[in-house]
Amino acid sequence: MKKEVRLYNAMFPLWFILFASPLLAPWIWLACAVGNFIIDSAVVLIVIAVSRLEAKRKFYWSSIWKVFLLGFLADFIGAGLILILGMFVRLGSSGDELYLTLPGLIFTAALIFVFNYFISFRRQKRLRLRFSLTLAIATAPYTFLIPTAWLYNH
């Protein structure tokens, strides 16, 4: 009797599609970009409303593009970290180990905070901690935690 061989998705998890998608399916980039922009906009607008800023429109438009682009950059750096960790760690049967994805998630959230604190909101001395921390928590890439095993039978 021949033993069944299964190839699990250890080195190509769901979020890694973003790296290959410009060649395979450019619409994935567009969908991710639009989704990220909407989420970033919602978080920034909520924090603006709670903070009672006077120049809401000016503040929004002066910060949203930096928030969006730096958040996307942080997501890619975090995904790269998970990929690198996956190369040096023995993977289990599904390749979705929390000890790989959780450090990537935390690192990415920290990068989002640092990027926003020191770049996006550097001129907002009074509110930059609130904005940066809220964005780091609310826009962290929680999709890193979705097990790719849910997408295929095993």
Side-chain angles (χ1 to χ4, degrees):
M1 183 170 179
K2 193 173 185 179
K3 185 179 177 182
E4 181 180 346
V5 176
R6 291 181 187 227
L7 299 176
Y8 290 99
N9 200 2
M11 295 308 291
F12 194 72
L14 174 65
W15 45 264
F16 193 68
I17 291 172
L18 286 176
F19 286 121
S21 66
L23 301 173
L24 302 176
W27 61 269
I28 293 175
W29 276 81
L30 182 61
C32 289
V34 169
N36 274 342
F37 188 82
I38 290 169
I39 292 169
D40 290 344
S41 291
V43 172
V44 169
L45 290 170
I46 289 168
V47 178
I48 286 173
V50 170
S51 301
R52 298 185 186 125
L53 286 174
E54 292 183 22
K56 295 176 183 180
R57 180 172 289 203
K58 181 182 176 191
F59 182 82
Y60 172 80
W61 287 110
S62 69
S63 62
I64 190 60
W65 290 107
K66 287 183 258 185
V67 168
F68 166 67
L69 293 172
L70 292 172
F72 223 61
L73 176 64
D75 290 350
F76 278 107
I77 294 171
L81 174 68
I82 294 172
L83 180 64
I84 291 169
L85 288 174
M87 289 182 202
F88 297 106
V89 176
R90 178 168 157 64
L91 299 175
S93 63
S94 67
D96 301 335
E97 282 76 6
L98 192 60
Y99 59 83
L100 293 177
T101 56
L102 194 57
L105 173 69
I106 293 168
F107 181 73
T108 304
L111 277 179
I112 292 169
F113 174 82
V114 168
F115 288 164
N116 286 314
Y117 189 83
F118 291 107
I119 298 171
S120 300
F121 304 115
R122 72 175 179 266
R123 293 187 180 138
Q124 299 293 325
K125 302 294 184 200
R126 184 174 63 93
L127 296 173
R128 71 182 184 169
L129 180 64
R130 178 184 296 173
F131 274 92
S132 301
L133 193 57
T134 304
L135 279 161
I137 293 168
T139 66
Y142 297 106
T143 55
F144 285 179
L145 300 176
I146 297 173
T148 53
W150 289 359
L151 303 175
Y152 56 87
N153 296 329
H154 53 304

